[in-house]
Amino acid sequence: MVKPDDAAGPSKTVGLAEAVERYGRKRSYSSERMMEGVETTMEMGNHTPPPRKKAKAAPPLPKLSTVSAAAPPSPLPSPQGSPPPQNIWPSAPPSGASSPQPQLPIQPDASLATLMSLPSLVSHFSGLPVTLQSHLLITLLRHSPLPVLRTLHSVLTPTLARDFLILLPPELVSHILSFLPFECILRASRVSRSWRNIIDSDPILWRDLLRNQKLWFGGDSERAFAEALLRRRRRMGLPSPNSLPLPNPYKVLFKSRYLTRDRWISNQEPTHLAFPAHGRSVVTCLLLSRGRIISASDDHSIHVYSPVTGQLLRSLVGHEGGVWALASTKDTLVSGSTDRTVRIWDLSTGRCTHIFGGHTSTVRCMAIVKPEWVDVEDERGVVRKEKWPKRAVIVTGSRDHSLRVWTLPKPGEPEYRCYGADESDVDPADDVDDNPYHKLHLQGHDHAVRALAARGRTLVSGSYDSTVRVWDIITGNCKWVLVGHTQKVYSVVLDASRNQACSGSMDGTVRVWNLQTGECQHTLTGHSSLVGLLGLSPSHLVSAAADSTLRIWDPDSGEMRHMLAAHVGAITCFQHDEFKVLSGSDGTLKMWDVRDGTIVRDLLTNILGVWQVVFEGRWCVAASNRPDATVLDVWDFGNGEEDDDWIGEPSGGIYDEDMTDDEDEEMEQADADAMDQDLDIEPSDGDVVDEDDAAFADAVDENDLSAETEEVEMEEAWLPDANDSGCAGPSHRVHSVADRRSSTRQSAPQSKSRNAIPSSSTAGRLRLSNDGTPTRPRAKPAGGRRR
């Protein structure tokens, strides 16, 4: 407390006892007024000079004032750590500029006494009631200067800060977040990395958000998306959600569906690109696959384009006729043509790796069936989950009245080219028995197979013979012949979640069939002409007809929700999801709101016609006919902004990643024998139950060569054929064909199944027939062969 003289040399350390003694001697020279001088000295900071006589009467005062200015800080405890007690001595409070009110100084001896009695003070404070403790602290804070408050704040902030989302159990965190609106959850995810990880990885939160925002579709679509995303991450080498904070699949699904719903409606000017394709030929097929546009034409070619630049990436040439069927998965493309062959292409190289022959007429429709878990009922009625097929297969339907099942070749497997694949004068169907990839030949239809749909073990085919057939693609058995349509069947869809199939016919009706019982659950009427197109999503069944209208139905009740009537010509193409319908006709491409049936906008106008339209995620592609060329129009509703979380959901919910990956090889080998045993079953002589002679007329004889050469142009799909009006018959009959055959059945005529539903008309005579027709010259008996 005593400042040494300037000439006294280096400062000398003063001990505690000596400092107290010196301070006591100095204090004896002053009176009680001297302590008030300390307070007066504080006020000098406000430029108020002390009385001149006062300064002269007390010579030690300047020393005391100087000591005050150089005194160490307050002895009160600090969270930053305090120096040793022997070096701490009271000083005058800080300048009045930092505190609006002057404070009385702490007596040095009182400070020492306070430090000595601090434990008892703390004990006394702890014994006070909580309300009195709060009152005491608030009173002290009100009389504390700003530096003290800053120090107190630095101590209290980390003490009181608690990240409750980290400390609480996940169940409580999910429950708390469920009360927040969607916008607040987005803001909360930007608070910190830990909050982002917690929110992104909470499946219950995002599931509830999907439901609250009406983005939960059901029908196993959410599960299929999650499984496909996890497979995609595994294929790309990304860690699983349990090891790194990758977003939960439900979160990615929420973002994808939210952007799809919002951007397609609100973005009035999406990025648009148009470029010519296939000269002036008709585009028969159009696909969007892994960031590629794949188009097929009746000019015998298949083109692969980039949706970003419109550049032609590859031209797949090899077919000798128009290409009328396409299916793709990963880097594999399968095509069917009027040249009666099925070709397998490697999209990464553009090379044709396999050529399958077997069909004797145009390959009109096809599907790739991937392994998935399905319910299988055994002989005792016990239902269990099994994975079928064991590896991906191709199903093709042809104008030769039959369907064929082929194993989808994997990359690196031996290539196969059927006999006469490169010679136009040789029939490629002659060596089908030697093809190791050929599995089944499904016969039973009496006319061309126009449409098919397949999932798991179930295959549904629609034919110009006015029937729909349900097949087991593992054994080749025809489970049901669904009879009810009175004219050609042009379209079928398969609803695996409801165990239903839907079919559209030239008779203007749509029928919904129960695949468990074979009954017609609903007959949807309203169209006045050919129903050539059907589409199915989890909540909507959409039909498009030549009467220029589209109709939206409830697939559960069969009730019509909306009729979309704005076109003036036959609907040539359409696609829909849970938000929108895109339809092409009469030189326009329209977008509709699927939920209320209103028109959102016209994407294309003033053109000759729209051949095909397809969309997925942010992309939409349409093939249209202009006066001088065929043009592909591409719209990017993301306006070029890259977003890896905006993942499109393919039509039908079939993902590329659903195919069995390499990690399932061991499971495939273990189950291969079981599959081969199913294929060893020999067919019976009577494998087909024909319709009642009194109810159905004989098939009309037609010229097969002229029918398959150019597929009778596009009008065949929309205009009734006066020479082939179909067969007349009862409104509804179902025959169960070989529904429950013994695994050791013998070659003998097949009797009528006990599960068959009798005709509503007079019971007619059933006849077993395996006869051919003039348009099926090389029909072979159905059955499986071990390959």
Side-chain angles (χ1 to χ4, degrees):
M1 297 299 296
V2 180
K3 181 178 179 181
D5 296 335
D6 295 336
S11 61
K12 181 175 66 175
T13 303
V14 179
L16 175 63
E18 184 178 358
V20 173
E21 182 180 357
R22 289 186 183 182
Y23 194 84
R25 287 200 302 267
K26 293 292 182 181
R27 193 166 173 236
S28 64
Y29 291 110
S30 61
S31 61
E32 184 178 354
R33 182 67 178 170
M34 181 177 290
M35 290 305 298
E36 297 176 3
V38 178
E39 183 176 351
T40 305
T41 305
M42 292 173 54
E43 297 176 356
M44 290 178 64
N46 296 330
H47 307 287
T48 304
R52 180 179 284 273
K53 290 184 179 181
K54 182 70 175 181
K56 289 183 179 180
L61 275 178
K63 269 187 182 178
L64 287 176
S65 178
T66 304
V67 170
S68 266
S74 169
L76 292 178
S78 170
Q80 309 298 333
S82 302
Q86 61 268 23
N87 295 331
I88 298 178
W89 288 103
S91 63
S95 171
S98 61
S99 179
Q101 296 180 357
Q103 300 179 4
L104 292 177
I106 300 177
Q107 299 290 348
D109 49 348
S111 300
L112 182 61
T114 302
L115 290 175
M116 299 295 290
S117 60
L118 186 59
S120 60
L121 290 177
V122 172
S123 176
H124 178 69
F125 178 80
S126 301
L128 297 176
V130 175
T131 54
L132 187 56
Q133 289 180 356
S134 301
H135 177 73
L136 177 60
L137 290 177
I138 291 174
T139 303
L140 293 176
L141 290 176
R142 287 175 178 173
H143 291 78
S144 300
L146 187 59
V148 175
L149 295 178
R150 289 196 183 108
T151 302
L152 188 62
H153 180 267
S154 65
V155 175
L156 291 179
T157 298
T159 304
L160 297 179
R162 287 291 184 272
D163 194 338
F164 66 95
L165 288 185
I166 295 178
L167 299 178
L168 290 177
E171 295 81 2
L172 289 180
V173 173
S174 181
H175 182 68
I176 292 172
L177 294 177
S178 66
F179 290 95
L180 298 179
F182 167 60
E183 295 78 6
C184 293
I185 291 178
L186 291 184
R187 295 191 187 98
S189 66
R190 295 194 290 265
V191 169
S192 65
R193 183 184 297 272
S194 58
W195 281 35
R196 178 68 174 254
N197 297 344
I198 291 173
I199 293 175
D200 282 3
S201 61
D202 189 348
I204 299 177
L205 172 66
W206 293 107
R207 183 199 62 189
D208 292 343
L209 280 175
L210 283 167
R211 296 183 186 276
N212 295 337
Q213 293 289 322
K214 297 182 179 179
L215 298 176
W216 184 273
F217 302 156
D220 289 337
S221 61
E222 289 77 17
R223 178 192 55 80
F225 181 93
E227 292 178 355
L229 180 61
L230 294 177
R231 286 183 178 271
R232 181 176 304 179
R233 288 174 175 175
R234 192 181 307 119
R235 175 173 54 84
M236 298 175 63
L238 297 177
S240 63
N242 293 330
S243 58
L244 263 185
L246 288 176
N248 186 272
Y250 280 173
K251 192 258 186 180
V252 180
L253 178 61
F254 179 89
K255 183 176 180 180
S256 297
R257 289 181 175 176
Y258 186 89
L259 290 175
T260 300
R261 181 184 65 182
D262 180 68
R263 295 287 178 86
W264 279 72
I265 302 299
S266 63
N267 189 352
Q268 298 296 325
E269 296 182 357
T271 303
H272 180 222
L273 175 67
F275 52 90
H278 299 284
R280 303 184 66 175
S281 301
V282 175
V283 175
T284 57
C285 304
L286 191 63
L287 298 178
L288 267 174
S289 173
R290 292 180 174 266
R292 294 173 294 219
I293 301 172
I294 306 173
S295 61
S297 172
D298 62 354
D299 64 1
H300 308 179
S301 68
I302 303 171
H303 289 174
V304 182
Y305 298 94
S306 167
V308 179
T309 63
Q311 178 185 0
L312 177 61
L313 303 178
R314 302 198 183 279
S315 182
L316 311 181
V317 180
H319 279 296
E320 298 176 358
V323 181
W324 286 86
L326 281 183
S328 70
T329 176
K330 296 186 178 179
D331 287 332
T332 301
L333 177 70
V334 185
S335 60
S337 167
T338 58
D339 64 10
R340 298 168 289 173
T341 64
V342 176
R343 293 180 180 247
I344 316 295
W345 308 83
D346 185 348
L347 291 175
S348 61
T349 61
R351 185 168 174 272
C352 180
T353 58
H354 301 76
I355 304 177
F356 298 160
H359 286 295
T360 59
S361 185
T362 299
V363 179
R364 192 60 184 84
C365 51
M366 67 169 49
I368 295 177
V369 188
K370 303 171 184 178
E372 60 179 294
W373 292 98
V374 296
D375 292 330
V376 177
E377 183 177 356
D378 57 17
E379 296 80 1
R380 295 173 295 178
V382 178
V383 178
R384 63 182 183 276
K385 289 285 187 180
E386 294 183 1
K387 197 167 190 178
W388 292 102
K390 299 307 178 183
R391 59 175 293 180
V393 298
I394 308 167
V395 181
T396 56
S398 170
R399 294 178 62 90
D400 64 8
H401 310 181
S402 70
L403 301 99
R404 291 185 182 269
V405 180
W406 323 75
T407 298
L408 178 67
K410 292 184 177 181
E413 288 189 339
E415 298 184 2
Y416 179 84
R417 302 175 74 87
C418 64
Y419 176 71
D422 301 318
E423 303 176 23
S424 59
D425 57 344
V426 178
D427 190 351
D430 290 341
D431 70 338
V432 65
D433 293 336
D434 299 328
N435 187 344
Y437 296 100
H438 183 261
K439 294 300 178 186
L440 294 173
H441 186 202
L442 309 180
Q443 293 177 287
H445 283 295
D446 294 330
H447 213 302
V449 178
R450 182 61 171 79
L452 63 85
R455 294 284 298 270
R457 295 183 62 149
T458 304
L459 166 65
V460 180
S461 60
S463 169
Y464 286 170
D465 64 5
S466 306
T467 67
V468 177
R469 287 180 177 257
V470 182
W471 312 80
D472 186 328
I473 61 175
I474 303 303
T475 64
N477 293 337
C478 180
K479 300 171 63 177
W480 298 105
V481 179
L482 309 178
V483 181
H485 287 296
T486 59
Q487 297 188 46
K488 296 178 179 179
V489 176
Y490 274 84
S491 53
V492 296
V493 291
L494 178 60
D495 191 346
S497 62
R498 297 181 177 89
N499 203 21
Q500 294 177 350
C502 307
S503 57
S505 169
M506 188 181 285
D507 61 13
T509 65
V510 177
R511 291 182 178 266
V512 181
W513 310 90
N514 186 317
L515 298 181
Q516 186 69 28
T517 63
E519 296 179 349
C520 179
Q521 294 188 176
H522 308 288
T523 300
L524 314 181
T525 60
H527 287 294
S528 60
S529 185
L530 162 68
V531 181
L533 299 171
L534 284 179
L536 181 69
S537 65
S539 304
H540 303 91
L541 171 66
V542 181
S543 60
D547 62 3
S548 74
T549 66
L550 300 97
R551 295 173 185 260
I552 303 175
W553 314 84
D554 186 333
D556 292 313
S557 64
E559 177 187 359
M560 189 184 74
R561 294 175 175 172
H562 307 288
M563 182 178 70
L564 313 182
H567 292 290
V568 296
I571 310 299
T572 55
C573 58
F574 89 93
Q575 185 178 336
H576 84 283
D577 58 12
E578 291 291 289
F579 307 114
K580 58 191 176 293
V581 180
L582 267 67
S583 60
S585 173
D586 55 52
T588 62
L589 179 64
K590 297 182 181 295
M591 182 192 301
W592 313 75
D593 190 325
V594 75
R595 301 190 178 187
D596 58 18
T598 59
I599 295 180
V600 177
R601 72 181 75 172
D602 285 338
L603 291 177
L604 286 177
T605 57
N606 300 323
I607 57 177
L608 296 182
V610 183
W611 299 123
Q612 301 288 336
V613 64
V614 62
F615 62 79
E616 183 176 328
R618 62 194 292 170
W619 298 101
C620 176
V621 184
S624 59
N625 184 20
R626 309 294 171 89
D628 55 347
T630 297
V631 175
L632 290 181
D633 291 272
V634 183
W635 293 269
D636 178 10
F637 283 86
N639 289 96
E641 299 178 4
E642 294 296 331
D643 193 339
D644 294 336
D645 287 342
W646 192 351
I647 302 175
E649 298 177 71
S651 178
I654 307 297
Y655 295 85
D656 282 348
E657 286 73 19
D658 285 348
M659 182 180 291
T660 304
D661 290 326
D662 294 338
E663 65 268 17
D664 296 330
E665 289 291 340
E666 295 182 0
M667 187 274 292
E668 288 184 15
Q669 292 297 329
D671 295 335
D673 293 339
M675 181 177 182
D676 289 341
Q677 289 174 4
D678 286 334
L679 297 179
D680 278 337
I681 299 176
E682 294 296 331
S684 63
D685 292 339
D687 202 22
V688 179
V689 177
D690 284 351
E691 287 75 17
D692 190 1
D693 291 337
F696 291 90
D698 293 333
V700 178
D701 189 9
E702 64 179 3
N703 188 338
D704 189 340
L705 294 178
S706 61
E708 72 182 44
T709 302
E710 293 298 336
E711 190 61 19
V712 199
E713 285 77 37
M714 290 291 289
E715 283 93 3
E716 181 184 4
W718 309 116
L719 300 179
D721 187 355
N723 296 325
D724 191 5
S725 59
C727 303
S731 61
H732 176 181
R733 289 189 310 157
V734 179
H735 297 290
S736 173
V737 182
D739 185 48
R740 295 187 180 181
R741 293 191 178 122
S742 171
S743 60
T744 59
R745 55 185 179 157
Q746 303 296 325
S747 297
Q750 179 69 31
S751 61
K752 181 180 178 181
S753 171
R754 60 182 178 182
N755 289 338
I757 300 178
S759 172
S760 58
S761 61
T762 304
R765 179 175 56 88
L766 294 177
R767 60 184 176 87
L768 303 176
S769 173
N770 209 13
D771 299 335
T773 65
T775 59
R776 185 169 47 187
R778 283 180 294 274
K780 296 181 175 61
R785 293 172 290 106
R786 185 163 185 166
R787 298 296 179 192

